[in-house]
């Protein structure tokens, strides 16, 4: 796919312009590797004044406040607020269950991940958008707006089919990436082995964790009636079922219980839980919904 068509496939030019004005909110302070555009608790040498301290031999003479010396006859050093970069990870679940609906959950997840990645690039953060599983091993680590095309090329290449569990996907990611920072997991969380052990691994890494739970309208309110054969897209399990009002009611109760368990798990562990419907539109999610939830500003 040519570079000229990639933005319209994942991020439109108008959305890119809006993303440039946004910043991903981090609720924790991390030690960055390079200077960026985020405030740090450390004192450094940026342009914004923070404090004074007494001069000690060996300090940089250029940082002495000579005006203060003239008034007090004492040497004081000017300290400035140091700005640091942040490591932003966006993790895409590309299991076969994500390849459902139109647009597919996977396509929406790729759009969201690319948008989050571009926000980080515009803020000089270190950005790594990765698919969970083997496809994640070729994911680039990028910094600066010039990395947009490489980001889009990688995200566009992600395909469904890596049917490993969330636990194994997050474990593989954790073994390959030693840094801390903000991690956004974008998934339908439909895993027979559950989601809790995967999220616990991210918490154990002292990450600032966001979960974007992507579901389609058909999953939230199935437009089905009559006799059906249901086939699990990931392991091929089949079951025959007659869908009627009673079954649909039980399905809704089960879905509500499932979502409730995720919300409760995340709330108890300071994880931001963000439900997203595939029919919301990525521009609305990024510029309105996430701003209202305090995820971007």
């Amino acid at each position: 796919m040519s570079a000229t068509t990639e933005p319209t496939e994942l991020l439109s030019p108008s959305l890119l312009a809006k993303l440039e004005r946004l910043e991903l909110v981090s609720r924790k302070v991390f030690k960055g590797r390079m200077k960026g555009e985020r405030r740090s608790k450390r004192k450094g040498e940026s342009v914004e004044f923070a404090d004074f301290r007494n001069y000690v031999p060996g300090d940089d003479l250029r940082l002495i406040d000579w005006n203060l010396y003239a008034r007090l006859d004492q040497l004081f050093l000017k300290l400035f607020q140091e700005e640091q970069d942040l490591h932003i990870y966006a993790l895409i679940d590309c299991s076969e269950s994500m390849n459902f609906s139109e647009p597919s959950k996977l396509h929406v997840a790729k759009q969201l991940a690319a948008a989050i990645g571009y926000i980080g690039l515009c803020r000089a953060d270190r950005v790594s958008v990765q698919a969970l599983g083997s496809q994640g091993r070729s994911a680039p680590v990028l910094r600066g707006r010039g990395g947009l095309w490489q980001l889009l090329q990688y995200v566009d290449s992600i395909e469904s089919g890596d049917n490993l569990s969330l636990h194994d996907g997050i474990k593989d990611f954790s073994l390959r990436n030693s840094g801390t920072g903000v991690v956004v997991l974008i998934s339908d969380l439909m895993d027979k082995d559950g989601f809790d052990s995967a999220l616990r691994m991210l918490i154990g890494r002292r990450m600032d964790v966001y979960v974007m739970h992507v579901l389609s309208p058909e999953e939230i309110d199935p437009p089905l009636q009559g006799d059906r054969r249901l086939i699990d897209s990931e392991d091929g399990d089949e079951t025959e079922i007659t869908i009627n009002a009673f079954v649909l009611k039980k399905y809704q109760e089960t879905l509500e219980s499932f979502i409730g368990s995720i919300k409760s798990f995340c709330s108890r562990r300071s994880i931001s839980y963000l439900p997203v419907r595939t029919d919301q539109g990525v521009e609305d999610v990024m510029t309105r919904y996430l701003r209202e939830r305090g995820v971007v500003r």
Side-chain angles (χ1 to χ4, degrees):
M1 180 177 293
S2 67
T4 57
T5 61
E6 286 173 20
T8 53
E9 289 293 325
L10 290 172
L11 303 176
S12 68
S14 63
L15 177 55
L16 287 174
K18 293 176 182 178
L19 295 175
E20 290 178 355
R21 300 192 292 270
L22 298 178
E23 178 181 352
L24 190 65
V25 175
S26 174
R27 298 164 298 177
K28 299 180 180 180
V29 176
F30 299 101
K31 182 178 179 181
R33 296 180 185 173
M34 301 175 66
K35 287 191 176 182
E37 296 186 4
R38 292 177 181 270
R39 297 285 171 80
S40 164
K41 287 185 177 179
R42 300 197 314 178
K43 303 298 188 297
E45 301 178 12
S46 71
V47 296
E48 186 165 345
F49 173 77
D51 203 353
F52 291 104
R53 71 166 173 80
N54 290 324
Y55 169 82
V56 295
D59 282 337
D60 189 341
L61 296 179
R62 294 173 298 178
L63 299 180
I64 292 176
D65 190 319
W66 296 108
N67 291 326
L68 204 58
Y69 173 74
R71 295 199 305 270
L72 303 178
D73 197 28
Q74 293 186 41
L75 293 177
F76 289 94
L77 225 62
K78 292 181 287 187
L79 302 180
F80 297 89
Q81 191 74 37
E82 183 174 10
E83 295 178 334
Q84 295 184 322
D85 65 339
L86 181 71
H87 206 148
I88 295 174
Y89 300 95
L91 306 181
I92 302 172
D93 178 3
C94 54
S95 58
E96 196 59 45
S97 68
M98 292 288 288
N99 196 26
F100 177 75
S101 190
E102 183 58 42
S104 71
K105 292 181 286 184
L106 178 59
H107 180 74
V108 172
K110 289 161 66 171
Q111 287 183 300
L112 294 172
I116 290 166
Y118 186 57
I119 290 173
L121 293 178
C122 290
R123 291 291 173 268
D125 294 322
R126 298 186 315 281
V127 172
S128 182
V129 175
Q130 304 185 24
L132 292 180
S134 59
Q135 297 178 81
R137 293 165 194 164
S138 60
V141 178
L142 304 168
R143 181 184 171 94
R145 300 185 189 203
L148 172 63
W149 296 113
Q150 194 175 352
L151 170 68
L152 292 175
Q153 286 170 353
Y154 169 75
V155 174
D156 187 66
S157 72
I158 295 172
E159 298 178 347
S160 63
D162 276 352
N163 288 328
L164 73 170
S165 66
L166 277 175
H167 175 275
D168 290 344
I170 296 299
K171 181 179 180 180
D172 179 66
F173 160 77
S174 299
L175 291 173
R176 290 185 290 101
N177 299 272
S178 59
T180 58
V182 173
V183 59
V184 183
L185 173 62
I186 309 173
S187 170
D188 59 8
L189 301 177
M190 293 185 179
D191 191 316
K192 289 184 176 179
D193 295 329
F195 59 84
D196 50 344
S197 62
L199 296 182
R200 283 195 180 97
M201 270 190 281
L202 295 178
I203 298 168
R205 290 276 307 278
R206 299 176 64 187
M207 295 280 198
D208 193 0
V209 184
Y210 294 85
V211 174
M212 302 190 79
H213 188 197
V214 181
L215 293 174
S216 70
E218 297 92 335
E219 291 169 324
I220 297 170
D221 187 17
L224 300 175
Q225 288 288 340
D227 296 333
R228 300 279 178 165
R229 175 183 295 172
L230 304 182
I231 303 174
D232 191 304
S233 61
E234 297 189 1
D235 60 19
D237 281 355
E238 298 184 16
T239 186
E240 301 281 349
I241 188 172
T242 298
I243 300 176
N244 51 35
F246 174 78
V247 170
L248 289 175
K249 182 174 181 293
K250 295 299 291 183
Y251 172 84
Q252 291 291 347
E253 291 173 353
T254 301
L255 179 64
E256 290 173 7
S257 176
F258 173 58
I259 293 174
S261 67
I262 301 169
K263 287 181 178 178
S264 177
F265 180 94
C266 292
S267 176
R268 294 196 306 269
R269 293 163 178 83
S270 298
I271 297 173
S272 288
Y273 173 74
L274 305 162
V276 177
R277 291 172 57 114
T278 56
D279 59 350
Q280 273 183 268
V282 66
E283 183 165 335
D284 180 66
V285 172
M286 296 304 304
T287 62
R288 183 194 61 80
Y289 175 62
L290 294 189
R291 190 191 292 271
E292 290 176 355
R293 298 294 297 269
V295 180
V296 299
R297 62 188 173 201

